Amino acid sequence: MQQFARRPFSLLAALLALFLGASIACAQNAGAAPEIDLATAPAALVMISDPGCPYCARWEREVAPGYEASEDGKIAPLVRRFRHAPDIAFIQRVVYSPTFVMLVRGREVGRIVGYGGADLFWMQLAALMEDVRVALQRSGAAAPNFAEKQVERR
């Protein structure tokens, strides 16, 4: 009789765990941007990381919100991938985590290896974005020039 009484609790615990797991997965994907085709996207910044990477978590806290809202983030949207994801197998020599690889039409134009703080990242990114703009111009898809915003004249 005890064995029969334990089954409903086991079943209830399993259902509860399944429900919580599905809820967490939905919450994580709720704010996810649409998938970007790395081979054809005009530009993309691929963040390659490992699970549990403390430097990756620090970058996510200190830089990610600002990057995604920045002009650079609009030109080259952020794509997060774990090191051995099949769709980034063509990216070679990833040793440190995080590694940020800038792609223009599926070709690497540069990378930032590691994370040494927000100031250093933004400085390295500025140089990388110059290469992106040159590569986009060569491919015929010029990046938006946010420096030439039109000023309303009265």
Side-chain angles (χ1 to χ4, degrees):
M1 192 70 156
Q2 287 178 336
Q3 189 178 26
F4 187 72
R6 288 184 190 165
R7 279 193 185 161
F9 292 114
S10 309
L11 183 60
L12 183 60
L15 288 173
L16 183 60
L18 183 64
F19 175 75
L20 287 174
S23 298
I24 291 170
C26 288
Q28 288 175 344
N29 290 332
E35 279 299 310
I36 295 172
D37 181 7
L38 298 177
T40 61
L45 179 64
V46 182
M47 177 185 179
I48 302 171
S49 62
D50 292 309
C53 166
Y55 298 102
C56 303
R58 191 172 146 213
W59 186 89
E60 290 286 354
R61 282 191 315 273
E62 296 174 0
V63 177
Y67 178 80
E68 291 172 337
S70 72
E71 295 168 0
D72 294 339
K74 290 174 180 43
I75 293 169
L78 179 66
V79 177
R80 294 170 176 89
R81 293 291 185 269
F82 286 122
R83 184 183 304 261
H84 299 293
D87 65 334
I88 60 165
F90 65 94
I91 299 174
Q92 300 296 312
R93 302 176 316 277
V94 176
V95 177
Y96 298 103
S97 184
T99 293
F100 301 89
V101 178
M102 186 65 74
L103 300 176
V104 172
R105 302 244 185 259
R107 298 189 68 184
E108 181 174 339
V109 295
R111 63 174 65 191
I112 299 170
V113 178
Y115 177 66
D119 292 338
L120 179 60
F121 176 83
W122 288 111
M123 184 177 70
Q124 292 171 317
L125 182 69
L128 204 53
M129 289 307 295
E130 288 302 316
D131 295 339
V132 168
R133 286 180 176 86
V134 168
L136 285 172
Q137 287 174 349
R138 285 183 183 156
S139 74
N145 189 350
F146 293 102
E148 295 179 3
K149 292 183 181 173
Q150 293 187 0
V151 178
E152 183 181 323
R153 297 181 184 206
R154 292 180 187 199

